[in-house]
Amino acid sequence: MASALQNLSTYDSSSVPDAAEMTFGIVVAEWNAHITHSLYEGCYDTLVKHGARPENIHTVQVPGSFELPAGARLLHGQRNPDVVICLGCVIKGETNHNEYISQAVAQGLTNLSLAAGKAFIFGVLTPDNEQQALDRAGGKHGNKGVEAAITAIRMAALQRELSAPKKRIGF
Ligand code: RBF
C-alpha cells in the first residue's frame, strides 16, 4: 500500500537531471521474464527519454534474481558505468525461498554500493502473486522499471556533482 501511494511512475519530468553524459548498466533476471522484460522496457525508455545515449546503456541478462548481484559486479568491473540498475521479480511461493532470494539480493546490492561508492539500484519486485507483479510492471501501479531509471539518473547526478572539482570564488 505504501508503495501504491508513492507511485513515482507519474513523476515531474522537468525535475529529472539530463542523462546525456551518464553511463548505465542494466542487469535483468530471466525468471518471470514477462514481468522483468516490462520492467526493462520502462527502465530503458525512461533513461533514453531523459537523454541517455543507447551506446551508454549496457544491458546483460542473468538466470534469476539471485544472480543479480553477481551480474552487477561483473558489469561494474568490466564496463564501470555510473550506476547499475538491477531488475527482477521474486514471487512468493509455497515455501519461503522468495525471502532468501530477496534478502540476498538486497544485501548483495547494498554491499556492492558501499564497496564501490556508486549506486546499485534495487529494481526487484517482491509480490505475493503474479497479479501484484503485473500491476507494478506497467499496470495500475505504474512501472517500477521507470522508477528505477529515475532513481539511477538522480544518483548518477549526485555522484557527478560530488566528484566535480569544487568551484572557487576569486581564484
Ligand atoms: N528467481 C527469480 O528471479 N524469481 C523467482 O520467483 C524465483 N523463484 C525461485 C524458486 C525456487 C524454488 C528456486 C530454487 C529458484 C527460484 N528463482 C527465482 C531462481 C533463483 O533466483 C536462482 O536463479 C537459482 O536459485 C539459481 O541460483
Side-chain angles (χ1 to χ4, degrees), residues 29 31-32 63-67 88-92 95 97-98 101:
W31 261 73
N32 301 312
S65 292
F66 188 79
E67 285 72 40
C89 174
V90 184
I91 301 179
K92 191 169 170 50
T95 61
H97 69 273
N98 58 300
I101 295 172

Side-chain angles (χ1 to χ4, degrees), residues 7 9 38-39 41-43 136-139 141-148:
N7 183 350
S9 300
S38 292
L39 295 175
E41 277 175 31
C43 179
R136 290 157 180 79
H141 292 315
N143 187 327
K144 298 297 172 190
V146 171
E147 300 177 28

Side-chain angles (χ1 to χ4, degrees), residues 160-171:
R160 283 172 174 257
E161 181 191 323
L162 293 178
S163 65
K166 274 189 182 166
K167 286 185 190 132
R168 291 169 185 262
I169 301 168
F171 293 96

Side-chain angles (χ1 to χ4, degrees), residues 4-112:
L5 296 174
Q6 296 203 355
N7 183 350
L8 299 178
S9 300
T10 51
Y11 60 96
D12 172 15
S13 40
S14 66
S15 69
V16 179
D18 179 24
E21 301 304 321
M22 298 174 182
T23 56
F24 300 91
I26 308 179
V27 192
V28 187
E30 287 166 12
W31 261 73
N32 301 312
H34 60 304
I35 305 287
T36 61
H37 289 186
S38 292
L39 295 175
Y40 176 68
E41 277 175 31
C43 179
Y44 184 92
D45 290 351
T46 303
L47 293 177
V48 172
K49 176 181 161 188
H50 288 284
R53 299 192 189 102
E55 63 268 28
N56 288 339
I57 304 173
H58 198 103
T59 303
V60 296
Q61 293 202 78
V62 293
S65 292
F66 188 79
E67 285 72 40
L68 286 170
R73 175 68 183 84
L74 284 167
L75 253 188
H76 163 60
Q78 300 300 322
R79 297 286 185 273
N80 194 26
D82 290 330
V83 181
V84 180
I85 303 164
C86 295
L87 303 172
C89 174
V90 184
I91 301 179
K92 191 169 170 50
E94 289 182 355
T95 61
N96 53 1
H97 69 273
N98 58 300
E99 289 171 23
Y100 289 102
I101 295 172
S102 303
Q103 289 284 353
V105 178
Q107 194 60 58
L109 298 185
T110 302
N111 292 348
L112 284 172

